[in-house]
Amino acid sequence: MAQILLHGDLHATIYEIDKLHIGALGNFFRKVVEGVEEVLGLGETASKLYATIDLGKARVGRTRLLDADKNPRWHESFHIYCAHMASEVIFTVKLDNPIGAELIGRASIPVSTLIHGDEIDTWLEIHKNKHKSLHGHPKIHVKLQFFDVTRERCYARGLKSPKFPGVPYTFFSQRIGNKVTLYQDAHVPDNFIPRIPLSGGRYYSPHRCWEDMFDAINNAQHLIYITGWSVYTEITLVRDTRRPKAGGDLTLGELLKKKAKEGVRVLMLVWDDRTSVGMLKKDGLMATHDEETGNYFRGSEVHCVLCPRNPDDGRSIIQNIEIGTMFTHHQKIVVVDGAMPNGSDKERRRIVSFVGGIDLCDGRYDTQFHSLFRTLSTAHHDDFHQGNIQGATIQKGGPREPWHDIHCRLEGPVAWDVLYNFEQRWRKQGGKDLLIELHELQRIIIPPSAVTYPDDHETWNVQVFRSIDGGAAFGFPETPEDAARAGLVSGKDNIIDRSIQDAYIHAIRRANRFIYIENQYFLGSSFSWYSKDINVHDVGALHLIPKELSLKIVSKIEVGEAFRVYIVIPMWPEGYPETQAVQAILDWQRRTMEMMYTDIVEALRVKGIVANPKDYLTFFCLGNREVKKPGEYEPSQKPEPDTDYSRAQAARRGMIYVHAKLMIANINQRSMDGARDSEIAMGAYQPYHLSCKEPARGEVHGFRMALWYEHMGMLDNCFSCPETLECIHKINKIGEANWDLYTREVLEADLPGHLLAYPVGVASDGKVTQLPGTQFFPDTKAPVLGTLASYYPPILTI
């Protein structure tokens, strides 16, 4: 059967199976299962049935587990976002056991019967394979209806109305009447950002993340709740000597202990890196200081819990091990009680939340200068971090690893959603019931309420999104029916919140003129990779984001409308670039890019347009290069000769690590899956600043322009219209010129900007190629295009 593009939403329901006779398992498989049960002391465990839904090469739905001794009745409904080429929708029935699953049979329905949008309610016969029927001819009862993306009211139209209700089918609803403060990096020096005009005669004013966090923690009177991938007690939040604060010299650990002694309830959930044990190394493979942080607060009035990324109950033993050791808690939030706006009521308090990408740990403090060497005697002397060069230390000198990130502060009803997320996680993994019952403080802490008036042109509509499952959050519904009503997804016996991916899909589908992304990873949509040298079924990076982006560009080419996509990613994911894990990610990143460029090239060919595909989709990374100045820090030791370290130090260059997530979370499978890394994000817009009759010029516009100034060291009038060919040509030329300066043998001056063209070429057929003379990243022996791992498990790198 011919494959057809399903791009839109598929509503599917799996009701039940009739006349299913499983019979005895094969002798070999039964012996294996019984052997595992005996070795692990599990006793006899009952096998259970579940069903899955596949579109082409992608698994898009899975039911809960039911006892296998009778015909299962699931009655489970699925809302499935589609961007898949498929000839059939396949329903697979499997028998679950402690070590895995056994195939029972499959049923299918042609995609051609769905494409017109009719509701189909039918019984499908289950076969062992295409040529063999099962005993008793069992059937599965399903209902399907497909809604093409072009039927969506807001498709490709942006946000035209302030009455937009938010992303549907999510746990948290959109909240109105909020205030949002956006942060670029941990700190912004005075007078760094130029005058960026906004609507109403205003100018953009930057904010300072760690200074605001310090004030929020220092001024809290009742509660301080913190979650983090890493929290390091020895950092200081205030480091700008031109902006001193009383108590700003306190370390984070000292500050939190001080607040706890004042009677503030300080609760912390820090990811427990399961590799931080004696047989490996104290800090674990990821150097999160988790054991050190736990020991620092032990016996104090600060309640710090190290919580592993526990899986939910519906997984095999192998999957439990995978999740417990390979995946993390990646949420970075701070929730405090804060003063009322403008000091209007000194007796009352409100909830204020911080959400984003910046952990309260070492290596995260940075400014828009992203210095490699010049802060080693000041702000970074006691906070030297370099995760990409083996053996790097402050004693041997720079380059340090600059860190670009984004964060935000939320005030209003949405701040309570972040608080509720913390409460769910604490009740699941916090141990003692130490949460403050806010109803006991209702005279002091106001309930969720708007912090802006309806006619305030600076008000925000905000929605919280997550990637998390019932293994990390208490109170998720137990039944798939209740889960669906709560905007959650069921799978085997675990309930999952995958709303980050949903939010990204909605944002891409609504986009009208351009998309700008900064993200730590860019790989996914493996079901659509044009790869013949690997089995994409084994990869499992199934999220839709890259495919949705390429389909968006293709749709605009087809109708002759201008549309551009700008993507900023790290030069390579943090780690030593020659290692197998980093090379595997780069290989999959290359395959993802190649899929997108192939789609674009084909669309241009069909329309008879001769153009550079980088005029539609363009990738960048960030880097810096500094000439040596008098009075710089002089290290007491030197790196080993002929190493990445010595070469980078001699060339006075290094990449700026991009850890930012502009609107939602990492574009990679770990962050989108819901059952892997736990994440939290927010999507927001200003209802009085929408691109209707003229381009929007609210805080989001100012924030983007400030970021572009940070990256390019300049602003141009065309930057206000990113959808134009003039703008993308200008920025591509800037990136190419900066890459040339970054890679030159002779360094004559500091780089004029940090934005570098990502060092790959695109062939006429969309194939991603290496640039002449750029097989390896500068100062390394690491291939830019990555290397296919021969045995490295995909689950470790996606």
Side-chain angles (χ1 to χ4, degrees), residues 195-226:
R195 286 165 65 88
I196 299 171
L198 306 180
S199 61
R202 299 179 305 111
Y203 289 90
Y204 177 75
S205 178
H207 303 274
R208 297 164 178 84
C209 183
W210 275 17
E211 284 189 7
D212 286 358
M213 278 195 185
F214 172 83
D215 289 339
I217 293 171
N218 196 40
N219 295 328
Q221 296 180 6
H222 300 281
L223 64 91
I224 300 169
Y225 295 166
I226 296 174

PDB file of all heavy atoms in Angstrom, residues 195-226:
ATOM      1  N   ARG A 195      19.081  50.580  23.327  1.00  0.00           N
ATOM      2  CA  ARG A 195      17.672  50.981  23.350  1.00  0.00           C
ATOM      3  C   ARG A 195      16.910  50.202  22.278  1.00  0.00           C
ATOM      4  O   ARG A 195      17.139  50.378  21.085  1.00  0.00           O
ATOM      5  CB  ARG A 195      17.550  52.487  23.125  1.00  0.00           C
ATOM      6  CG  ARG A 195      17.978  53.297  24.344  1.00  0.00           C
ATOM      7  CD  ARG A 195      18.192  54.761  23.982  1.00  0.00           C
ATOM      8  NE  ARG A 195      16.953  55.419  23.561  1.00  0.00           N
ATOM      9  CZ  ARG A 195      16.094  56.017  24.395  1.00  0.00           C
ATOM     10  NH1 ARG A 195      16.346  56.019  25.704  1.00  0.00           N
ATOM     11  NH2 ARG A 195      15.019  56.625  23.947  1.00  0.00           N
ATOM     12  N   ILE A 196      16.000  49.342  22.731  1.00  0.00           N
ATOM     13  CA  ILE A 196      15.162  48.554  21.828  1.00  0.00           C
ATOM     14  C   ILE A 196      13.737  49.072  21.963  1.00  0.00           C
ATOM     15  O   ILE A 196      13.101  48.894  23.007  1.00  0.00           O
ATOM     16  CB  ILE A 196      15.221  47.056  22.173  1.00  0.00           C
ATOM     17  CG1 ILE A 196      16.666  46.543  22.034  1.00  0.00           C
ATOM     18  CG2 ILE A 196      14.264  46.246  21.290  1.00  0.00           C
ATOM     19  CD1 ILE A 196      16.868  45.131  22.550  1.00  0.00           C
ATOM     20  N   PRO A 197      13.202  49.756  20.944  1.00  0.00           N
ATOM     21  CA  PRO A 197      11.870  50.352  21.082  1.00  0.00           C
ATOM     22  C   PRO A 197      10.765  49.309  21.104  1.00  0.00           C
ATOM     23  O   PRO A 197      10.783  48.339  20.346  1.00  0.00           O
ATOM     24  CB  PRO A 197      11.762  51.248  19.841  1.00  0.00           C
ATOM     25  CG  PRO A 197      12.736  50.681  18.861  1.00  0.00           C
ATOM     26  CD  PRO A 197      13.835  50.071  19.657  1.00  0.00           C
ATOM     27  N   LEU A 198       9.798  49.529  21.985  1.00  0.00           N
ATOM     28  CA  LEU A 198       8.603  48.704  22.090  1.00  0.00           C
ATOM     29  C   LEU A 198       7.385  49.569  21.792  1.00  0.00           C
ATOM     30  O   LEU A 198       7.498  50.783  21.586  1.00  0.00           O
ATOM     31  CB  LEU A 198       8.498  48.088  23.486  1.00  0.00           C
ATOM     32  CG  LEU A 198       9.712  47.301  24.003  1.00  0.00           C
ATOM     33  CD1 LEU A 198       9.440  46.774  25.399  1.00  0.00           C
ATOM     34  CD2 LEU A 198      10.048  46.147  23.059  1.00  0.00           C
ATOM     35  N   SER A 199       6.229  48.961  21.760  1.00  0.00           N
ATOM     36  CA  SER A 199       5.008  49.727  21.507  1.00  0.00           C
ATOM     37  C   SER A 199       4.722  50.670  22.674  1.00  0.00           C
ATOM     38  O   SER A 199       5.211  50.466  23.795  1.00  0.00           O
ATOM     39  CB  SER A 199       3.832  48.779  21.299  1.00  0.00           C
ATOM     40  OG  SER A 199       3.625  47.988  22.448  1.00  0.00           O
ATOM     41  N   GLY A 200       3.929  51.691  22.411  1.00  0.00           N
ATOM     42  CA  GLY A 200       3.566  52.644  23.453  1.00  0.00           C
ATOM     43  C   GLY A 200       4.676  53.580  23.847  1.00  0.00           C
ATOM     44  O   GLY A 200       4.622  54.172  24.938  1.00  0.00           O
ATOM     45  N   GLY A 201       5.718  53.696  23.009  1.00  0.00           N
ATOM     46  CA  GLY A 201       6.807  54.609  23.315  1.00  0.00           C
ATOM     47  C   GLY A 201       7.756  54.111  24.384  1.00  0.00           C
ATOM     48  O   GLY A 201       8.598  54.872  24.873  1.00  0.00           O
ATOM     49  N   ARG A 202       7.658  52.831  24.750  1.00  0.00           N
ATOM     50  CA  ARG A 202       8.538  52.284  25.793  1.00  0.00           C
ATOM     51  C   ARG A 202       9.800  51.700  25.159  1.00  0.00           C
ATOM     52  O   ARG A 202       9.882  51.495  23.954  1.00  0.00           O
ATOM     53  CB  ARG A 202       7.804  51.205  26.592  1.00  0.00           C
ATOM     54  CG  ARG A 202       6.567  51.696  27.326  1.00  0.00           C
ATOM     55  CD  ARG A 202       5.890  50.559  28.076  1.00  0.00           C
ATOM     56  NE  ARG A 202       5.571  49.439  27.202  1.00  0.00           N
ATOM     57  CZ  ARG A 202       6.168  48.257  27.251  1.00  0.00           C
ATOM     58  NH1 ARG A 202       7.116  48.020  28.150  1.00  0.00           N
ATOM     59  NH2 ARG A 202       5.819  47.290  26.411  1.00  0.00           N
ATOM     60  N   TYR A 203      10.774  51.355  26.025  1.00  0.00           N
ATOM     61  CA  TYR A 203      11.982  50.673  25.592  1.00  0.00           C
ATOM     62  C   TYR A 203      12.177  49.428  26.446  1.00  0.00           C
ATOM     63  O   TYR A 203      11.805  49.395  27.620  1.00  0.00           O
ATOM     64  CB  TYR A 203      13.202  51.594  25.699  1.00  0.00           C
ATOM     65  CG  TYR A 203      13.200  52.694  24.671  1.00  0.00           C
ATOM     66  CD1 TYR A 203      12.594  53.923  24.957  1.00  0.00           C
ATOM     67  CD2 TYR A 203      13.769  52.505  23.422  1.00  0.00           C
ATOM     68  CE1 TYR A 203      12.573  54.946  24.011  1.00  0.00           C
ATOM     69  CE2 TYR A 203      13.756  53.523  22.471  1.00  0.00           C
ATOM     70  CZ  TYR A 203      13.152  54.730  22.764  1.00  0.00           C
ATOM     71  OH  TYR A 203      13.126  55.718  21.824  1.00  0.00           O
ATOM     72  N   TYR A 204      12.781  48.416  25.837  1.00  0.00           N
ATOM     73  CA  TYR A 204      13.000  47.154  26.540  1.00  0.00           C
ATOM     74  C   TYR A 204      13.991  47.348  27.689  1.00  0.00           C
ATOM     75  O   TYR A 204      15.028  48.001  27.539  1.00  0.00           O
ATOM     76  CB  TYR A 204      13.535  46.093  25.577  1.00  0.00           C
ATOM     77  CG  TYR A 204      13.851  44.779  26.244  1.00  0.00           C
ATOM     78  CD1 TYR A 204      12.837  43.913  26.639  1.00  0.00           C
ATOM     79  CD2 TYR A 204      15.175  44.411  26.504  1.00  0.00           C
ATOM     80  CE1 TYR A 204      13.129  42.707  27.260  1.00  0.00           C
ATOM     81  CE2 TYR A 204      15.477  43.205  27.116  1.00  0.00           C
ATOM     82  CZ  TYR A 204      14.451  42.363  27.499  1.00  0.00           C
ATOM     83  OH  TYR A 204      14.739  41.174  28.123  1.00  0.00           O
ATOM     84  N   SER A 205      13.659  46.787  28.837  1.00  0.00           N
ATOM     85  CA  SER A 205      14.523  46.864  30.017  1.00  0.00           C
ATOM     86  C   SER A 205      14.881  45.449  30.459  1.00  0.00           C
ATOM     87  O   SER A 205      13.988  44.667  30.800  1.00  0.00           O
ATOM     88  CB  SER A 205      13.823  47.604  31.156  1.00  0.00           C
ATOM     89  OG  SER A 205      14.634  47.632  32.311  1.00  0.00           O
ATOM     90  N   PRO A 206      16.161  45.064  30.468  1.00  0.00           N
ATOM     91  CA  PRO A 206      16.542  43.706  30.869  1.00  0.00           C
ATOM     92  C   PRO A 206      16.440  43.516  32.378  1.00  0.00           C
ATOM     93  O   PRO A 206      16.425  44.484  33.147  1.00  0.00           O
ATOM     94  CB  PRO A 206      17.997  43.599  30.410  1.00  0.00           C
ATOM     95  CG  PRO A 206      18.497  45.009  30.482  1.00  0.00           C
ATOM     96  CD  PRO A 206      17.331  45.881  30.100  1.00  0.00           C
ATOM     97  N   HIS A 207      16.385  42.262  32.793  1.00  0.00           N
ATOM     98  CA  HIS A 207      16.302  41.914  34.210  1.00  0.00           C
ATOM     99  C   HIS A 207      17.431  40.950  34.555  1.00  0.00           C
ATOM    100  O   HIS A 207      18.024  40.317  33.673  1.00  0.00           O
ATOM    101  CB  HIS A 207      14.935  41.307  34.516  1.00  0.00           C
ATOM    102  CG  HIS A 207      13.792  42.205  34.157  1.00  0.00           C
ATOM    103  ND1 HIS A 207      13.301  43.168  35.008  1.00  0.00           N
ATOM    104  CD2 HIS A 207      13.047  42.296  33.019  1.00  0.00           C
ATOM    105  CE1 HIS A 207      12.300  43.808  34.424  1.00  0.00           C
ATOM    106  NE2 HIS A 207      12.127  43.298  33.213  1.00  0.00           N
ATOM    107  N   ARG A 208      17.701  40.815  35.846  1.00  0.00           N
ATOM    108  CA  ARG A 208      18.873  40.082  36.305  1.00  0.00           C
ATOM    109  C   ARG A 208      18.432  38.899  37.158  1.00  0.00           C
ATOM    110  O   ARG A 208      17.977  39.056  38.287  1.00  0.00           O
ATOM    111  CB  ARG A 208      19.800  41.029  37.081  1.00  0.00           C
ATOM    112  CG  ARG A 208      20.328  42.138  36.181  1.00  0.00           C
ATOM    113  CD  ARG A 208      20.922  43.302  36.925  1.00  0.00           C
ATOM    114  NE  ARG A 208      21.444  44.291  35.971  1.00  0.00           N
ATOM    115  CZ  ARG A 208      20.684  45.238  35.396  1.00  0.00           C
ATOM    116  NH1 ARG A 208      19.387  45.340  35.702  1.00  0.00           N
ATOM    117  NH2 ARG A 208      21.220  46.060  34.516  1.00  0.00           N
ATOM    118  N   CYS A 209      18.622  37.708  36.585  1.00  0.00           N
ATOM    119  CA  CYS A 209      18.031  36.500  37.155  1.00  0.00           C
ATOM    120  C   CYS A 209      18.525  36.200  38.564  1.00  0.00           C
ATOM    121  O   CYS A 209      17.734  36.095  39.497  1.00  0.00           O
ATOM    122  CB  CYS A 209      18.324  35.310  36.231  1.00  0.00           C
ATOM    123  SG  CYS A 209      17.576  33.760  36.769  1.00  0.00           S
ATOM    124  N   TRP A 210      19.829  36.028  38.730  1.00  0.00           N
ATOM    125  CA  TRP A 210      20.313  35.589  40.039  1.00  0.00           C
ATOM    126  C   TRP A 210      20.182  36.685  41.095  1.00  0.00           C
ATOM    127  O   TRP A 210      20.005  36.379  42.273  1.00  0.00           O
ATOM    128  CB  TRP A 210      21.755  35.085  39.925  1.00  0.00           C
ATOM    129  CG  TRP A 210      21.784  33.637  39.496  1.00  0.00           C
ATOM    130  CD1 TRP A 210      20.751  32.938  38.936  1.00  0.00           C
ATOM    131  CD2 TRP A 210      22.872  32.719  39.605  1.00  0.00           C
ATOM    132  NE1 TRP A 210      21.127  31.643  38.683  1.00  0.00           N
ATOM    133  CE2 TRP A 210      22.432  31.478  39.080  1.00  0.00           C
ATOM    134  CE3 TRP A 210      24.173  32.825  40.066  1.00  0.00           C
ATOM    135  CZ2 TRP A 210      23.256  30.352  39.026  1.00  0.00           C
ATOM    136  CZ3 TRP A 210      24.994  31.698  40.005  1.00  0.00           C
ATOM    137  CH2 TRP A 210      24.542  30.477  39.499  1.00  0.00           C
ATOM    138  N   GLU A 211      20.240  37.930  40.719  1.00  0.00           N
ATOM    139  CA  GLU A 211      19.971  38.988  41.690  1.00  0.00           C
ATOM    140  C   GLU A 211      18.518  38.922  42.155  1.00  0.00           C
ATOM    141  O   GLU A 211      18.236  39.054  43.357  1.00  0.00           O
ATOM    142  CB  GLU A 211      20.269  40.361  41.078  1.00  0.00           C
ATOM    143  CG  GLU A 211      21.748  40.683  40.984  1.00  0.00           C
ATOM    144  CD  GLU A 211      21.991  42.132  40.575  1.00  0.00           C
ATOM    145  OE1 GLU A 211      21.010  42.911  40.503  1.00  0.00           O
ATOM    146  OE2 GLU A 211      23.161  42.487  40.331  1.00  0.00           O
ATOM    147  N   ASP A 212      17.592  38.714  41.216  1.00  0.00           N
ATOM    148  CA  ASP A 212      16.183  38.618  41.589  1.00  0.00           C
ATOM    149  C   ASP A 212      15.917  37.373  42.428  1.00  0.00           C
ATOM    150  O   ASP A 212      15.101  37.404  43.358  1.00  0.00           O
ATOM    151  CB  ASP A 212      15.299  38.612  40.338  1.00  0.00           C
ATOM    152  CG  ASP A 212      15.197  39.983  39.689  1.00  0.00           C
ATOM    153  OD1 ASP A 212      15.786  40.939  40.228  1.00  0.00           O
ATOM    154  OD2 ASP A 212      14.531  40.095  38.634  1.00  0.00           O
ATOM    155  N   MET A 213      16.595  36.274  42.111  1.00  0.00           N
ATOM    156  CA  MET A 213      16.443  35.061  42.921  1.00  0.00           C
ATOM    157  C   MET A 213      16.969  35.289  44.327  1.00  0.00           C
ATOM    158  O   MET A 213      16.355  34.840  45.309  1.00  0.00           O
ATOM    159  CB  MET A 213      17.171  33.889  42.267  1.00  0.00           C
ATOM    160  CG  MET A 213      16.393  33.196  41.172  1.00  0.00           C
ATOM    161  SD  MET A 213      17.169  31.610  40.801  1.00  0.00           S
ATOM    162  CE  MET A 213      16.171  31.084  39.420  1.00  0.00           C
ATOM    163  N   PHE A 214      18.108  35.952  44.426  1.00  0.00           N
ATOM    164  CA  PHE A 214      18.655  36.261  45.758  1.00  0.00           C
ATOM    165  C   PHE A 214      17.646  37.072  46.569  1.00  0.00           C
ATOM    166  O   PHE A 214      17.377  36.756  47.739  1.00  0.00           O
ATOM    167  CB  PHE A 214      19.971  37.034  45.627  1.00  0.00           C
ATOM    168  CG  PHE A 214      20.495  37.542  46.932  1.00  0.00           C
ATOM    169  CD1 PHE A 214      21.236  36.728  47.777  1.00  0.00           C
ATOM    170  CD2 PHE A 214      20.241  38.852  47.345  1.00  0.00           C
ATOM    171  CE1 PHE A 214      21.706  37.193  48.997  1.00  0.00           C
ATOM    172  CE2 PHE A 214      20.701  39.331  48.563  1.00  0.00           C
ATOM    173  CZ  PHE A 214      21.440  38.493  49.389  1.00  0.00           C
ATOM    174  N   ASP A 215      17.088  38.112  45.961  1.00  0.00           N
ATOM    175  CA  ASP A 215      16.116  38.946  46.672  1.00  0.00           C
ATOM    176  C   ASP A 215      14.896  38.126  47.091  1.00  0.00           C
ATOM    177  O   ASP A 215      14.385  38.280  48.206  1.00  0.00           O
ATOM    178  CB  ASP A 215      15.674  40.111  45.787  1.00  0.00           C
ATOM    179  CG  ASP A 215      16.775  41.148  45.599  1.00  0.00           C
ATOM    180  OD1 ASP A 215      17.704  41.194  46.428  1.00  0.00           O
ATOM    181  OD2 ASP A 215      16.706  41.905  44.606  1.00  0.00           O
ATOM    182  N   ALA A 216      14.419  37.263  46.182  1.00  0.00           N
ATOM    183  CA  ALA A 216      13.222  36.468  46.477  1.00  0.00           C
ATOM    184  C   ALA A 216      13.471  35.522  47.640  1.00  0.00           C
ATOM    185  O   ALA A 216      12.633  35.390  48.549  1.00  0.00           O
ATOM    186  CB  ALA A 216      12.797  35.697  45.230  1.00  0.00           C
ATOM    187  N   ILE A 217      14.627  34.850  47.644  1.00  0.00           N
ATOM    188  CA  ILE A 217      14.954  33.919  48.729  1.00  0.00           C
ATOM    189  C   ILE A 217      15.210  34.690  50.025  1.00  0.00           C
ATOM    190  O   ILE A 217      14.705  34.318  51.094  1.00  0.00           O
ATOM    191  CB  ILE A 217      16.184  33.065  48.340  1.00  0.00           C
ATOM    192  CG1 ILE A 217      15.830  32.118  47.179  1.00  0.00           C
ATOM    193  CG2 ILE A 217      16.688  32.268  49.544  1.00  0.00           C
ATOM    194  CD1 ILE A 217      17.031  31.394  46.600  1.00  0.00           C
ATOM    195  N   ASN A 218      15.948  35.764  49.928  1.00  0.00           N
ATOM    196  CA  ASN A 218      16.318  36.533  51.115  1.00  0.00           C
ATOM    197  C   ASN A 218      15.110  37.185  51.780  1.00  0.00           C
ATOM    198  O   ASN A 218      15.088  37.381  53.005  1.00  0.00           O
ATOM    199  CB  ASN A 218      17.344  37.594  50.731  1.00  0.00           C
ATOM    200  CG  ASN A 218      18.067  38.170  51.921  1.00  0.00           C
ATOM    201  OD1 ASN A 218      18.429  37.450  52.859  1.00  0.00           O
ATOM    202  ND2 ASN A 218      18.292  39.479  51.910  1.00  0.00           N
ATOM    203  N   ASN A 219      14.090  37.520  50.991  1.00  0.00           N
ATOM    204  CA  ASN A 219      12.912  38.202  51.528  1.00  0.00           C
ATOM    205  C   ASN A 219      11.746  37.274  51.837  1.00  0.00           C
ATOM    206  O   ASN A 219      10.702  37.737  52.310  1.00  0.00           O
ATOM    207  CB  ASN A 219      12.450  39.285  50.545  1.00  0.00           C
ATOM    208  CG  ASN A 219      13.480  40.388  50.382  1.00  0.00           C
ATOM    209  OD1 ASN A 219      14.216  40.713  51.315  1.00  0.00           O
ATOM    210  ND2 ASN A 219      13.565  40.972  49.189  1.00  0.00           N
ATOM    211  N   ALA A 220      11.901  35.977  51.574  1.00  0.00           N
ATOM    212  CA  ALA A 220      10.828  35.022  51.874  1.00  0.00           C
ATOM    213  C   ALA A 220      10.582  34.967  53.377  1.00  0.00           C
ATOM    214  O   ALA A 220      11.526  35.044  54.176  1.00  0.00           O
ATOM    215  CB  ALA A 220      11.185  33.642  51.343  1.00  0.00           C
ATOM    216  N   GLN A 221       9.338  34.816  53.777  1.00  0.00           N
ATOM    217  CA  GLN A 221       8.979  34.783  55.201  1.00  0.00           C
ATOM    218  C   GLN A 221       8.355  33.461  55.640  1.00  0.00           C
ATOM    219  O   GLN A 221       8.320  33.164  56.839  1.00  0.00           O
ATOM    220  CB  GLN A 221       8.007  35.920  55.508  1.00  0.00           C
ATOM    221  CG  GLN A 221       8.604  37.305  55.309  1.00  0.00           C
ATOM    222  CD  GLN A 221       7.629  38.422  55.629  1.00  0.00           C
ATOM    223  OE1 GLN A 221       6.514  38.174  56.116  1.00  0.00           O
ATOM    224  NE2 GLN A 221       8.025  39.670  55.352  1.00  0.00           N
ATOM    225  N   HIS A 222       7.857  32.656  54.680  1.00  0.00           N
ATOM    226  CA  HIS A 222       7.150  31.438  55.066  1.00  0.00           C
ATOM    227  C   HIS A 222       7.663  30.187  54.359  1.00  0.00           C
ATOM    228  O   HIS A 222       7.745  29.132  54.975  1.00  0.00           O
ATOM    229  CB  HIS A 222       5.646  31.602  54.803  1.00  0.00           C
ATOM    230  CG  HIS A 222       5.031  32.722  55.561  1.00  0.00           C
ATOM    231  ND1 HIS A 222       4.701  32.620  56.897  1.00  0.00           N
ATOM    232  CD2 HIS A 222       4.716  33.983  55.197  1.00  0.00           C
ATOM    233  CE1 HIS A 222       4.182  33.772  57.321  1.00  0.00           C
ATOM    234  NE2 HIS A 222       4.190  34.615  56.301  1.00  0.00           N
ATOM    235  N   LEU A 223       7.979  30.262  53.065  1.00  0.00           N
ATOM    236  CA  LEU A 223       8.378  29.046  52.361  1.00  0.00           C
ATOM    237  C   LEU A 223       9.387  29.343  51.266  1.00  0.00           C
ATOM    238  O   LEU A 223       9.336  30.386  50.616  1.00  0.00           O
ATOM    239  CB  LEU A 223       7.168  28.314  51.780  1.00  0.00           C
ATOM    240  CG  LEU A 223       6.331  29.011  50.697  1.00  0.00           C
ATOM    241  CD1 LEU A 223       6.837  28.675  49.294  1.00  0.00           C
ATOM    242  CD2 LEU A 223       4.869  28.617  50.820  1.00  0.00           C
ATOM    243  N   ILE A 224      10.308  28.401  51.083  1.00  0.00           N
ATOM    244  CA  ILE A 224      11.251  28.390  49.966  1.00  0.00           C
ATOM    245  C   ILE A 224      11.312  26.942  49.484  1.00  0.00           C
ATOM    246  O   ILE A 224      11.792  26.065  50.207  1.00  0.00           O
ATOM    247  CB  ILE A 224      12.660  28.866  50.367  1.00  0.00           C
ATOM    248  CG1 ILE A 224      12.633  30.296  50.895  1.00  0.00           C
ATOM    249  CG2 ILE A 224      13.621  28.749  49.179  1.00  0.00           C
ATOM    250  CD1 ILE A 224      13.944  30.727  51.549  1.00  0.00           C
ATOM    251  N   TYR A 225      10.780  26.689  48.306  1.00  0.00           N
ATOM    252  CA  TYR A 225      10.787  25.347  47.726  1.00  0.00           C
ATOM    253  C   TYR A 225      11.686  25.369  46.484  1.00  0.00           C
ATOM    254  O   TYR A 225      11.520  26.211  45.601  1.00  0.00           O
ATOM    255  CB  TYR A 225       9.382  24.909  47.316  1.00  0.00           C
ATOM    256  CG  TYR A 225       8.399  24.743  48.457  1.00  0.00           C
ATOM    257  CD1 TYR A 225       7.031  24.644  48.197  1.00  0.00           C
ATOM    258  CD2 TYR A 225       8.811  24.657  49.788  1.00  0.00           C
ATOM    259  CE1 TYR A 225       6.107  24.474  49.217  1.00  0.00           C
ATOM    260  CE2 TYR A 225       7.899  24.492  50.813  1.00  0.00           C
ATOM    261  CZ  TYR A 225       6.546  24.405  50.522  1.00  0.00           C
ATOM    262  OH  TYR A 225       5.630  24.238  51.547  1.00  0.00           O
ATOM    263  N   ILE A 226      12.624  24.410  46.400  1.00  0.00           N
ATOM    264  CA  ILE A 226      13.590  24.385  45.306  1.00  0.00           C
ATOM    265  C   ILE A 226      13.673  22.982  44.725  1.00  0.00           C
ATOM    266  O   ILE A 226      13.732  21.998  45.470  1.00  0.00           O
ATOM    267  CB  ILE A 226      14.987  24.819  45.800  1.00  0.00           C
ATOM    268  CG1 ILE A 226      14.969  26.271  46.284  1.00  0.00           C
ATOM    269  CG2 ILE A 226      16.042  24.649  44.701  1.00  0.00           C
ATOM    270  CD1 ILE A 226      16.281  26.717  46.928  1.00  0.00           C
TER     271      ILE A 226
END
